[in-house]
Amino acid sequence: MPNDRGPSSLGLDSTYGDASIYVDAEAAPRVLGRLRGALGLIEDDGPELTVGPVRVYGERNDYAAGRRAHPFDFLQWPTVLECEAPEGTPAEVVQAVTAVLEALWHGGFKALAACDFEDELPARGGADRYPRPAPAPDGSGGSSSTWWKNLILPGKRKGRNL
């Protein structure tokens, strides 16, 4: 099946050909609109925008649980921005994805990139900004430290002994 977005100078098997950016925000069109303004993009490409050699389009994340996701479960955040690089050098792709991530972070969005080159992105694509807490020493996989208690809404604490 031919690539309907045009030929890629990076090649179909390039590790720089695509990236997914998970965003903890509803409504992909709103996220793209804010990105468009933050990046100073004048033309309106509808549900898609272009940053350097990268095409970015937003979708509802099919893996979103439909409830407020845990802050560290980025795979369940409601919006995913798919970034495709049909052309450009690896350095240009890294620069473009960096610009998108930084614009999201400066705009107050929680965003994390999942791609083969995330170690070349600032904060390792966001992984350093949203670290998972260390597992409990007893191996239970969780921790009873205060970080979790602070995430629970005050109204939910009633009647529970935390």
Side-chain angles (χ1 to χ4, degrees):
M1 175 180 219
N3 182 353
D4 63 347
R5 295 197 181 259
S8 172
S9 61
L10 289 172
L12 294 175
D13 60 346
S14 172
T15 59
Y16 296 90
D18 62 9
S20 297
I21 299 176
Y22 293 86
V23 184
D24 192 9
E26 296 288 340
R30 182 179 70 92
V31 174
L32 285 174
R34 297 265 309 268
L35 256 179
R36 195 172 274 115
L39 294 171
L41 302 174
I42 297 170
E43 65 267 351
D44 185 358
D45 294 334
E48 177 180 299
L49 54 93
T50 303
V51 180
V54 177
R55 293 182 180 141
V56 182
Y57 56 95
E59 299 177 339
R60 182 186 180 294
N61 181 5
D62 290 336
Y63 295 104
R67 58 176 169 68
R68 184 162 175 79
H70 188 279
F72 307 108
D73 288 339
F74 71 92
L75 292 175
Q76 292 184 8
W77 290 353
T79 296
V80 63
L81 301 179
E82 296 295 346
C83 303
E84 294 179 349
E87 58 185 35
T89 66
E92 291 171 329
V93 172
V94 170
Q95 183 179 14
V97 174
T98 294
V100 171
L101 275 173
E102 289 180 340
L104 289 166
W105 294 335
H106 289 280
F109 290 104
K110 284 176 47 181
L112 193 141
C115 57
D116 289 337
F117 56 93
E118 59 202 31
D119 288 340
E120 298 176 53
L121 298 169
R124 289 186 317 121
D128 291 344
R129 292 177 66 99
Y130 316 109
R132 283 190 151 315
D138 64 2
S140 65
S143 171
S144 60
S145 67
T146 58
W147 74 267
W148 179 254
K149 292 178 186 176
N150 291 335
L151 294 174
I152 300 173
L153 297 174
K156 299 289 183 183
R157 294 182 184 182
K158 291 181 183 177
R160 294 191 180 169
N161 190 7
L162 295 176

